[in-house]
């Protein structure tokens, strides 16, 4: 009997890639999404890649009765929870929207899981929980710093809610994956990052500038204490990231966890600066980008990258794709959705 994994927010960028990898690893998947931050493009792409329709439930996890109905309808063995608002800037100007949505949706999920006698819960966390780290690279033992945004704070709070729920309720097991900077697209170019409006993330802004949708790419600050003056990040290929979720779910379902609640960094361990990323994109795709140096952006940390040793060892997972492959896939996806030859 195949295990069934519920993917909340499964029509989004990360959720769609994780769904593909789960099904290809032999899991049954149910996708649930309220479509507040995406359309059906990635869901349709997932079905095309897999050659079949997957169960899709349009619902909001802030509606507890809808969550109950979902658990009543499907035999859910594990949940991967992506459903959340994620625009850092908006979370600063409208914090109550973020606290209300991101916390309530997760609490509802856990309460229904407890009612059902337990569940394996994988929480989509973020390297934002480390803030501006004092020591690099960051390990899972690095201190969590005060969040610089309400979005980052909801990630910290949801980690704590999961940790405390695991301690209090029999049958609840949890893993939090702290992602660094997911970029790229599926090699098929059928699913990828599709932001609404002006992109918040660097790579969609790069690809939209290359496609002529954005006039100019702004690089925020070139006076940071880094080798080339631009911020450094740990950019991880979206397919590599998705495979880490499969490894974590398998660890839970096969009862290989060493504690009821575990945390893993999901990154490459290699810092890449913003300027290095821009130059690599230009080189691999034979393009010239129109970019300018802009003033620093509030809230940007100077540098952060992962020590992924724990995930490498315990999950048996490792980031494999090169930055060049990733940037090629990002441009292939942009061309696909814009019908650029």
């Amino acid at each position: 009997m195949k295990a069934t994994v519920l993917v909340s927010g499964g029509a989004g960028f990360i959720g769609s890639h994780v769904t593909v990898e789960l099904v290809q690893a032999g899991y049954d998947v149910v996708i649930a999404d309220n479509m507040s931050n995406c359309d059906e493009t990635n869901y349709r792409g997932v079905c095309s890649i897999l050659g079949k329709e997957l169960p899709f439930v349009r619902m909001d996890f802030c509606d507890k009765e809808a969550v109950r109905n979902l658990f009543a309808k499907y035999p859910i063995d594990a949940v991967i929870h992506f459903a959340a608002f994620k625009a850092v800037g908006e979370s600063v100007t409208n914090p109550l929207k973020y606290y209300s949505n991101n916390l309530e949706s997760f609490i509802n999920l856990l309460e229904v899981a407890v009612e059902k006698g337990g569940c394996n819960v994988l929480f989509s966390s973020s390297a934002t929980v480390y803030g501006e780290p004092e020591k690099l690279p960051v390990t899972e033992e690095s201190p969590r710093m005060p969040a610089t945004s309400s979005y980052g704070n909801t990630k910290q709070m949801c980690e704590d809610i999961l940790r405390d729920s695991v301690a209090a309720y029999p049958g609840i097991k949890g893993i939090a994956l702290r992602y660094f900077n997911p970029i790229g697209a599926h090699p098929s170019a059928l699913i990828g990052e599709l932001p609404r409006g002006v992109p918040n993330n660097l790579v969609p802004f790069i690809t939209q500038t290359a496609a002529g949708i954005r006039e100019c790419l702004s690089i925020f600050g070139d006076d940071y204490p880094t080798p080339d003056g631009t911020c450094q990040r740990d950019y991880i290929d979206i397919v590599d990231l998705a495979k880490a979720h499969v490894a974590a779910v398998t660890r839970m379902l096969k009862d290989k966890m060493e504690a009821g609640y575990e945390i893993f960094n999901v990154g490459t361990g290699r810092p890449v600066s913003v300027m290095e990323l821009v130059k690599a994109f230009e080189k691999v795709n034979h393009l010239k980008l129109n970019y300018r140096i802009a003033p620093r952006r509030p809230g940007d940390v100077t540098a952060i990258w992962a020590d992924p040793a724990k995930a490498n060892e315990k999950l048996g997972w490792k980031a494999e794709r090169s930055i060049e492959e990733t940037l090629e896939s990002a441009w292939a996806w942009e061309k696909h959705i814009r019908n650029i030859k």
Side-chain angles (χ1 to χ4, degrees):
M1 180 98 170
K2 282 186 180 180
T4 299
V5 182
L6 167 64
V7 182
S8 81
F13 172 46
I14 302 177
S16 59
H17 288 81
V18 169
T19 296
V20 167
E21 296 303 319
L22 284 166
V23 173
Q24 290 179 338
Y27 290 104
D28 284 336
V29 174
V30 177
I31 297 169
D33 204 305
N34 69 359
M35 310 301 277
S36 67
N37 201 35
C38 60
D39 58 23
E40 284 197 4
T41 304
N42 275 330
Y43 172 68
R44 290 280 146 225
V46 166
C47 296
S48 296
I49 292 165
L50 297 172
K52 65 178 181 181
E53 292 278 313
L54 294 185
F56 175 80
V57 181
R58 187 165 186 156
M59 58 160 285
D60 193 325
F61 281 79
C62 289
D63 178 348
K64 193 170 177 182
E65 208 47 47
V67 182
R68 281 198 181 104
N69 293 339
L70 191 64
F71 272 75
K73 185 173 181 182
Y74 296 99
I76 294 164
D77 300 294
V79 180
I80 303 178
H81 187 65
F82 296 108
F85 293 148
K86 61 174 189 173
V88 173
E90 184 191 40
S91 82
V92 175
T93 56
N94 194 356
L96 291 178
K97 175 181 176 181
Y98 277 70
Y99 289 123
S100 167
N101 180 77
N102 293 6
L103 299 182
E104 186 179 6
S105 60
F106 193 46
I107 289 168
N108 283 346
L109 174 67
L110 288 169
E111 284 181 343
V112 173
V114 170
E115 288 172 8
K116 286 287 177 184
C119 195
N120 300 284
V121 181
L122 198 167
F123 177 62
S124 157
S125 193
S126 163
T128 57
V129 302
Y130 296 117
E132 181 90 56
E134 291 169 4
K135 196 173 162 197
L136 289 165
V138 291
T139 72
E140 290 80 0
E141 307 307 313
S142 297
R144 291 191 327 186
M145 305 302 275
T148 55
S149 68
S150 300
Y151 162 77
N153 207 18
T154 65
K155 291 297 184 188
Q156 292 187 352
M157 292 165 89
C158 285
E159 282 190 2
D160 294 347
I161 289 166
L162 181 56
R163 179 200 65 208
D164 293 351
S165 297
V166 165
Y169 307 109
I172 299 287
K173 286 190 291 187
I175 289 179
L177 295 185
R178 292 175 177 167
Y179 319 149
F180 283 70
N181 291 68
I183 60 169
H186 194 267
S188 66
L190 292 172
I191 55 175
E193 192 166 5
L194 190 59
R196 286 190 168 170
V198 180
N200 287 303
N201 295 337
L202 176 60
V203 171
F205 215 110
I206 287 174
T207 58
Q208 288 190 15
T209 304
I213 294 153
R214 306 287 157 203
E215 191 181 329
C216 182
L217 169 72
S218 294
I219 294 173
F220 298 105
D222 65 349
D223 58 348
Y224 285 94
T226 61
D228 64 14
T230 63
C231 292
Q232 290 178 308
R233 295 290 182 268
D234 188 335
Y235 295 102
I236 179 163
D237 185 273
I238 185 63
V239 176
D240 280 338
L241 178 72
K243 287 178 176 174
H245 290 74
V246 178
V249 164
T250 302
R251 181 176 175 84
M252 287 196 284
L253 291 173
K254 291 198 171 170
D255 231 10
K256 292 189 172 177
M257 293 173 68
E258 292 164 16
Y261 173 65
E262 296 179 332
I263 296 165
F264 295 97
N265 284 337
V266 185
T268 66
R270 295 185 301 274
V272 175
S273 76
V274 172
M275 188 60 81
E276 282 177 313
L277 195 77
V278 167
K279 294 296 182 189
F281 180 88
E282 289 183 325
K283 185 177 179 185
V284 76
N285 293 307
H286 312 293
L287 291 164
K288 192 81 187 97
L289 287 170
N290 183 28
Y291 64 83
R292 69 183 182 94
I293 305 300
R296 288 187 182 195
R297 207 167 40 173
D300 277 346
V301 302
T302 300
I304 184 166
W305 65 91
D307 177 348
K310 184 180 174 186
N312 297 164
E313 183 198 340
K314 306 283 187 190
L315 296 179
W317 167 90
K318 196 166 192 279
E320 293 174 346
R321 285 168 65 80
S322 69
I323 202 83
E324 289 77 18
E325 287 175 289
T326 303
L327 293 172
E328 269 186 315
S329 70
W331 180 230
W333 159 249
E334 188 72 44
K335 287 193 291 184
H336 168 72
I337 55 173
R338 309 290 174 195
N339 290 314
I340 298 169
K341 298 299 176 201

